[in-house]
Amino acid sequence: MRLALALGILGLGAPGLSAGSITGTVTAKGPSVAASSAGGEYQSHRYSLAERIDYDHLQDFVVYIDQMVEGGGAGADPATVTQRNVSFEPHVLPIAVGTKVLWPNKDDIFHNVYSMSDTMPFDLGLYTKDEKPKMLTFGKVGRVDVYCSIHSKMHCIILVLPSRFFAKADARGRFSIENVPPGTYKLTAWQEHVPPSFQQVTVPAAGGVTANFILGFADLPKY
Amino acid sequence: MPSRPRRLSVQTKVLLPVITFLVLLPVVVVWIVNGYISRQVHDEAATVLKTADGVFRHLLDNQSNDLLSRYRTTLENRGVVRNGYLDLVGLAATNTAVGANSVRSSLDQQLGGDTVVMLLSLDPATPPIGAKGEVPLELADFARASGGLSRAALRGEGGADWVTLDGMVLNVAALPIAQPDHQVAGALTVGARLGGATMQEFKRLTGAEIVILAGAATAASTLGAPGVALGGLPTDAAQEVVVNGEHYLALRGAYAQEASMGGFRYVLLSSHERSLRTLGDMRRTLAEVSFAGILLSAAVVWFFIRRVIHPLRELRDTAEAVGRGDFSRKIGRLANDECGDLAEAFNGMTTNLQASRAELEKTVETLKATQTQLIQSEKLSAVGQFVAGVAHELNNPLTAVIGFSDLLVQTSTDDKIRLHLERIAKNAHRCHKIVQNLLGFARQHPPERSLVAINGAIDEVLDIMAYDFRTGNVAIVREFQDDLPLILADRHQLQQVFVNILSNARQAIQAVRHDGRIVIRTQLSAALVRIDLIDNGPGVRPEHLSRLFDPFFTTKPIGKGTGLGLSLCYGIVQEHGGTIRAQSELGQGATFVIELPVAPESAQLRDTDAALAPGGRRGGAGRRVLVVDDEEEILALTRELLRADGYEVETASSGEHGVAAVRRTRFDVIVSDWKMPGMNGIQFYEHLLATDRAAASRVCFMTGDVINDSLQEFLRLQGRTCLPKPFSIKDFQDTVADLSERGSG
């Protein structure tokens, strides 16, 4: 595994050892406070069943370069999604395409991990922690929603990305993508509950570029 | 103001019923409206409750169906989320603790919201594996309660029902878990609690408070703890209850689905508080409005009654005043209505009353005067009667005095004695005349018309009044026209006229002077005889002149005159077709002028003939005369007189003697007194008529009394004559001579 990582780093550094970083913040913002508090249709009974999003406490922001990048292939090490306390950990797992993922069951009860997504449908069947964790390789870019067949509330998302240049924002929304080869990229910010957003960023040969995202419905294009 | 008996005023009489009516009306209206609205409110609430009941049942059904559908959808879902129920069945079938735990954890994860319990059954024999939320519920109890549904689900028939369990109301749905080949592998039984939120939703939709009963306890309630045992309420009838101090209309019902083993009872409560408050408000408002209305109406009625009564009171006061005799009181302000008319009529009445009363007072005074006059008149009448009686008594002695004195005059040779005798005769004649006048005046005369020589009539009056004039120092100046024609009149009435005027004149003169003078002048003017009576008295005041002839007008002090004298004169003269008028100037004396029409020519002539009839005196030699009289003097006188004429005279002192004499002898003339004790003149005459008609035809009467109507009538019928006593010798002789000649001839 370490070898693979080293290979990857080498591979990245190979074009000329020049690399930049992309840093910034990503946050979500709901509709204007006035509009929401004043009611409006959103507050009406008609939308009572619509999902209410707590914009201030959204987690699991992922920022990634939404295109193939030279030397951005997946590493050899598998990622892991653990089943513990009748839930998946982590809830969102961004991986570069081709990454392996391990599905260990740490509970005392059975789980049945499956996905019916178009990207990667699978069904691991019922198994306990006593059994060997199953491993899957995600070879196609896309979003894979994973569930447990007997625990309807268990859900995680495997975000299969085109390159390994991605970052999960921390609790305060800060992210940093290091060692990005210089160039101009389409940088996308993603969150499970809000529409994604992208920016064109030009990564310099040295230093970094800053990209800030505010996700939400406020800046949706008007049709 | 006199005190009246206590009584209700008109104001009270009108106000009382009006106010009673005004009070009763709103009371009745409020009572009716209240009853009506109460009924309406109750009915409405009951209807609302019925509707709510329907809605509630529908909601329960829906809730059941929802639950069923939800899990049916979940079970049959083959979408993005795969249901792992078959996995669960498989795990359960492993019959291991891990498997069971896995199932339990799976079910546990599905709990939430109202869903409080879930069971997974494989077959009826195996106890189901279940999970429950934090509710005081035993899974075993639930499994038992929902056993039927679960078994049905295991048979492939999903279903839902409501059960009450441990003080909870649960909506239970059981569904079969089928394998792809539709073979039932197990059953899922879900229990959803009828929670507070749902209850509130139900309350919102039904519009009623809902209390769901589990046995005697309250399983769920929108009211909190009702605090009242609602289980005892009758079903199908709304009833009022008080819960937590609030009024509700309650309807109890029981809910159970078909072929259910559960079901529960519930009570729907519709708040009555607002209706009651509204009702109360309505009542209060109505009462207030009514009260205000009553006050207002009473005030208005009072005001109007006062307005109506006020004139009535004034009318009453005025009527009382008028009743007391105060005619000056008048009702002043006149309203322009019936009261005004009444007041006007009343004023008119008062005026009329005043006039009537004045008239009445005058009449009473007149009556009093008349009465006085009447009394006076009666007195006079009595005096007259007395005088008549005295005169009659005097006549007989006078007849003797005259007769014998006349006789003596004729027979006396001595001149001196004859002169004396003539004086006696003259004075006896005068006495006779006085008596005659007295009789004539005192006598009641029926009005009769005869030819009257006015001068003679006046002389007679003057004779009667001579004494008065003499004593009153009044000189009478006669200025008579001698050849006056006769007038057709009632002699006595005319004489009364003169007496009245002359005595008035005498009295007037006597009061002011001692040299009174009355000139009486008679003259012919055209066809009228005019008599002027001129005195030199004080005269008449001009203002009295016009009223001189009014009845009861007198200037004499009360008791002295009646005021009737001149009025009577006026009446008499008028009746005779004449006129009487007075001329006077104060202090210059008064003149009364009487004009009377002259009698027609024919009457004058006839009288003249009669007057000219000669009464020759003839000798009575050889003739026999019987004189019947109770007075010896008369008998003696007549005997003397007739013997002197040559008659053979026999006398009888009574009728009986007369009859005897006639029977004995034949008489040429029989002279009988009228009034005699025993057989009187008429009886004597009638006796003769019966016994000796010839003798009766030779009878003549004499009387000292007045020749009254009945006697006159008698004489006229029988063709007899009557000599009034006292008679002159000549008259007597003439009469006897006439009779004897007729009898012989």
Side-chain angles (χ1 to χ4, degrees):
Chain A
M1 191 189 282
R2 193 169 294 161
L3 179 72
L5 192 63
L7 277 174
I9 291 168
L10 284 174
L12 276 172
L17 288 175
S18 62
S21 66
I22 303 168
T23 55
T25 55
V26 58
T27 51
K29 192 175 170 228
S32 66
V33 176
S36 62
S37 71
E41 284 204 348
Y42 188 62
Q43 296 287 340
S44 71
H45 181 70
R46 190 173 154 193
Y47 293 101
S48 63
L49 296 173
E51 188 183 9
R52 302 295 159 116
I53 298 164
D54 184 3
Y55 289 96
D56 296 335
H57 298 94
L58 286 178
Q59 296 290 321
D60 297 326
F61 288 94
V62 179
V63 182
Y64 61 91
I65 291 172
D66 196 8
Q67 64 187 75
M68 298 292 285
V69 180
E70 198 92 12
D77 294 341
T80 304
V81 176
T82 316
Q83 298 143 53
R84 184 180 287 130
N85 296 328
V86 204
S87 63
F88 290 110
E89 275 178 21
H91 179 58
V92 174
L93 180 70
I95 52 171
V97 69
T99 310
K100 296 182 180 71
V101 179
L102 273 170
W103 300 89
N105 182 357
K106 301 289 185 192
D107 281 332
D108 292 334
I109 53 171
F110 284 97
H111 288 296
N112 183 352
V113 180
Y114 76 90
S115 175
M116 291 178 132
S117 60
D118 293 336
T119 310
M120 175 80 179
F122 61 91
D123 188 346
L124 300 180
L126 287 163
Y127 61 98
T128 62
K129 65 175 181 182
D130 303 331
E131 293 170 46
K132 182 177 178 281
K134 304 201 172 175
M135 193 164 71
L136 288 170
T137 306
F138 291 82
K140 194 176 174 188
V141 172
R143 169 178 164 163
V144 180
D145 284 275
V146 182
Y147 300 94
C148 166
S149 73
I150 59 173
H151 298 104
S152 52
K153 282 183 180 169
M154 287 175 68
H155 175 219
C156 70
I157 299 165
I158 309 298
L159 209 57
V160 186
L161 301 173
S163 72
R164 61 183 177 82
F165 298 111
F166 58 82
K168 270 184 99 169
D170 63 11
R172 297 163 66 180
R174 291 173 302 193
F175 71 91
S176 174
I177 307 171
E178 305 292 338
N179 300 320
V180 181
T184 300
Y185 306 105
K186 179 191 179 189
L187 187 70
T188 299
W190 176 94
Q191 212 282 331
E192 179 185 358
H193 299 287
V194 291
S197 176
F198 61 86
Q199 289 181 14
Q200 203 81 34
V201 293
T202 305
V203 180
V209 68
T210 304
N212 296 324
F213 291 90
I214 298 175
L215 302 184
F217 297 89
D219 300 327
L220 283 180
K222 303 279 189 292
Y223 297 102
Chain B
M1 184 170 292
S3 67
R4 292 186 189 78
R6 288 198 66 76
R7 80 297 183 245
L8 291 172
S9 68
V10 177
Q11 218 157 321
T12 322
K13 273 181 193 159
V14 177
L15 260 186
L16 267 184
V18 166
I19 290 180
T20 310
F21 177 75
L22 284 177
V23 169
L24 278 181
L25 185 70
V27 165
V28 169
V29 167
V30 167
W31 182 66
I32 290 172
V33 169
N34 189 40
Y36 179 73
I37 293 182
S38 293
R39 212 158 42 244
Q40 286 292 98
V41 163
H42 190 275
D43 288 355
E44 199 182 303
T47 312
V48 165
L49 274 183
K50 281 264 186 248
T51 314
D53 187 49
V55 171
F56 180 60
R57 285 165 169 277
H58 190 68
L59 285 171
L60 289 171
D61 288 347
N62 273 359
Q63 196 78 7
S64 251
N65 289 337
D66 274 0
L67 190 70
L68 198 60
S69 318
R70 194 158 88 218
Y71 280 91
R72 181 168 283 149
T73 309
T74 307
L75 280 168
E76 288 170 3
N77 180 33
R78 292 290 186 273
V80 178
V81 180
R82 201 191 102 191
N83 77 68
Y85 290 108
L86 278 173
D87 293 342
L88 287 182
V89 171
L91 285 173
T94 57
N95 219 0
T96 57
V98 178
N101 281 341
S102 301
V103 170
R104 243 175 241 119
S105 72
S106 171
L107 295 177
D108 199 46
Q109 213 173 38
Q110 293 178 54
L111 295 176
D114 291 337
T115 310
V116 290
V117 60
M118 287 186 94
L119 288 179
L120 187 75
S121 330
L122 296 180
D123 57 74
T126 323
I129 300 164
K132 69 178 182 71
E134 291 176 358
V135 287
L137 180 75
E138 292 300 322
L139 278 174
D141 291 343
F142 179 74
R144 202 161 40 251
S146 61
L149 279 173
S150 302
R151 282 192 289 279
L154 285 171
R155 287 195 300 274
E157 297 163 19
D161 197 2
W162 292 86
V163 295
T164 54
L165 200 61
D166 295 335
M168 258 189 301
V169 180
L170 295 168
N171 185 8
V172 182
L175 288 153
I177 301 168
Q179 285 173 338
D181 58 357
H182 299 296
Q183 194 169 345
V184 176
L188 182 70
T189 309
V190 184
R193 183 185 188 176
L194 190 57
T198 316
M199 286 293 276
Q200 290 303 325
E201 182 74 5
F202 281 6
K203 177 184 168 181
R204 195 174 64 76
L205 292 171
T206 57
E209 303 283 351
I210 301 161
V211 175
I212 291 171
L213 303 169
T218 305
S221 165
T222 56
L223 275 176
V228 179
L230 295 168
L233 291 170
T235 49
D236 298 333
Q239 197 176 343
E240 281 190 46
V241 292
V242 178
V243 178
N244 299 342
E246 221 181 315
H247 291 268
Y248 289 99
L249 197 68
L251 182 71
R252 206 189 74 164
Y255 177 84
Q257 282 183 333
E258 285 174 56
S260 160
M261 66 254 154
F264 57 87
R265 290 182 303 142
Y266 60 89
V267 180
L268 295 177
L269 300 125
S270 170
S271 179
H272 223 193
E273 203 68 14
R274 231 181 71 195
S275 317
L276 287 176
R277 207 160 45 240
T278 310
L279 209 60
D281 284 351
M282 188 270 299
R283 265 197 299 255
R284 196 161 50 249
T285 309
L286 216 56
E288 281 164 5
V289 167
S290 302
F291 184 68
I294 288 165
L295 280 187
L296 191 71
S297 309
V300 167
V301 168
W302 181 77
F303 176 72
F304 276 108
I305 292 171
R306 232 178 99 87
R307 271 193 63 180
V308 173
I309 292 290
H310 182 72
L312 278 184
R313 289 214 168 132
E314 202 175 311
L315 204 62
R316 184 193 65 196
D317 292 344
T318 313
E320 274 170 2
V322 170
R324 283 195 302 273
D326 179 9
F327 289 110
S328 64
R329 248 325 246 287
K330 287 277 183 328
I331 299 167
R333 202 155 39 76
L334 295 180
N336 191 19
D337 57 8
E338 286 86 343
C339 277
D341 295 347
L342 182 59
E344 217 167 304
F346 187 84
N347 280 345
M349 189 191 77
T350 308
T351 312
N352 285 348
L353 261 181
Q354 194 172 6
S356 304
R357 186 165 159 149
E359 214 167 292
L360 212 67
E361 275 169 355
K362 223 167 95 186
T363 309
V364 167
E365 257 173 53
T366 309
L367 263 180
K368 272 184 188 161
T370 313
Q371 201 180 20
T372 317
Q373 171 70 14
L374 210 66
I375 289 165
Q376 190 69 16
S377 204
E378 278 295 312
K379 270 190 206 162
L380 282 177
S381 175
V383 169
Q385 297 266 333
F386 175 69
V387 165
V390 169
H392 179 241
E393 284 305 307
L394 282 175
N395 267 344
N396 281 331
L398 269 181
T399 306
V401 171
I402 291 169
F404 282 113
S405 60
D406 278 359
L407 207 60
L408 281 174
V409 167
Q410 286 173 6
T411 55
S412 178
T413 49
D414 191 333
D415 283 349
K416 199 176 173 189
I417 291 171
R418 201 168 56 224
L419 192 67
H420 289 166
L421 284 172
E422 276 173 355
R423 283 223 171 128
I424 293 171
K426 191 180 164 196
N427 281 298
H429 272 293
R430 191 173 154 201
C431 282
H432 164 62
K433 215 169 184 179
I434 291 168
V435 168
Q436 204 67 28
N437 279 335
L438 279 174
L439 264 176
F441 189 70
R443 206 172 64 191
Q444 294 288 332
H445 291 281
E448 54 175 19
R449 295 289 163 90
S450 55
L451 289 165
V452 176
I454 199 74
N455 289 348
I458 295 173
D459 277 340
E460 279 178 22
V461 172
L462 290 175
D463 280 348
I464 294 171
M465 297 182 72
Y467 174 77
D468 279 348
F469 291 135
R470 211 165 48 246
T471 55
N473 292 320
V474 175
I476 303 293
V477 179
R478 290 166 76 255
E479 294 181 2
F480 289 177
Q481 189 177 335
D482 282 336
D483 53 349
L484 280 178
L486 300 175
I487 57 170
L488 199 56
D490 187 305
R491 186 188 191 86
H492 300 288
Q493 285 187 345
L494 276 187
Q495 284 180 333
Q496 199 175 352
V497 170
F498 297 132
V499 166
N500 281 336
I501 294 171
L502 287 172
S503 65
N504 275 352
R506 182 188 62 76
Q507 284 172 13
I509 293 166
Q510 211 172 350
V512 295
R513 61 201 301 168
H514 297 290
D515 56 345
R517 198 165 60 96
I518 300 173
V519 178
I520 304 169
R521 189 182 298 143
T522 62
Q523 57 192 14
L524 186 64
S525 82
L528 296 169
V529 174
R530 172 172 168 162
I531 304 116
D532 292 7
L533 299 141
I534 307 151
D535 68 55
N536 62 345
V540 183
R541 288 171 182 277
E543 65 263 33
H544 291 163
L545 209 55
S546 61
R547 300 179 59 196
L548 220 50
F549 297 104
D550 288 355
F552 304 109
F553 176 79
T554 179
T555 56
K556 295 172 188 169
I558 293 171
K560 285 291 165 72
T562 58
L564 280 173
L566 284 179
S567 159
L568 210 65
C569 293
Y570 186 83
I572 290 167
V573 173
Q574 283 267 310
E575 231 170 87
H576 285 82
T579 57
I580 179 169
R581 59 181 185 272
Q583 301 162 347
S584 176
E585 263 178 68
L586 201 58
Q588 300 294 315
T591 301
F592 284 84
V593 179
I594 299 167
E595 288 175 326
L596 292 165
V598 173
E601 207 61 24
S602 53
Q604 301 270 353
L605 279 175
R606 202 178 58 217
D607 210 64
T608 314
D609 286 348
L612 289 177
R617 195 182 139 191
R618 293 175 187 92
R623 296 178 194 270
R624 300 169 75 86
V625 177
L626 174 65
V627 181
V628 184
D629 201 319
D630 57 328
E631 290 267 349
E632 193 49 45
E633 297 297 328
I634 300 295
L635 289 178
L637 174 66
T638 51
R639 199 158 43 226
E640 285 295 320
L641 284 176
L642 292 173
R643 273 186 188 152
D645 273 2
Y647 292 102
E648 259 182 60
V649 181
E650 202 169 313
T651 58
S653 60
S654 71
E656 287 84 359
H657 289 131
V659 170
V662 170
R663 202 177 293 143
R664 245 186 348 261
T665 326
R666 179 190 176 278
F667 293 100
D668 293 305
V669 176
I670 301 166
V671 180
S672 173
D673 192 14
W674 190 252
K675 280 186 178 170
M676 287 180 292
M679 186 183 269
N680 64 21
I682 291 178
Q683 286 166 336
F684 172 66
Y685 176 73
E686 279 172 350
H687 188 82
L688 287 185
L689 266 184
T691 55
D692 189 346
R693 242 191 133 69
S697 70
R698 292 191 292 273
V699 171
C700 116
F701 295 99
M702 54 182 176
T703 179
D705 206 346
V706 176
I707 301 173
N708 59 26
D709 287 346
S710 55
L711 177 55
Q712 203 120 41
E713 186 68 13
F714 175 80
L715 293 174
R716 196 178 59 78
L717 280 173
Q718 299 299 329
R720 299 296 97 198
T721 53
C722 185
L723 269 173
K725 283 194 257 182
F727 41 75
S728 66
I729 292 171
K730 184 176 166 293
D731 287 347
F732 184 73
Q733 286 170 338
D734 286 353
T735 307
V736 173
D738 276 359
L739 261 179
S740 65
E741 259 173 44
R742 214 187 300 164
S744 62

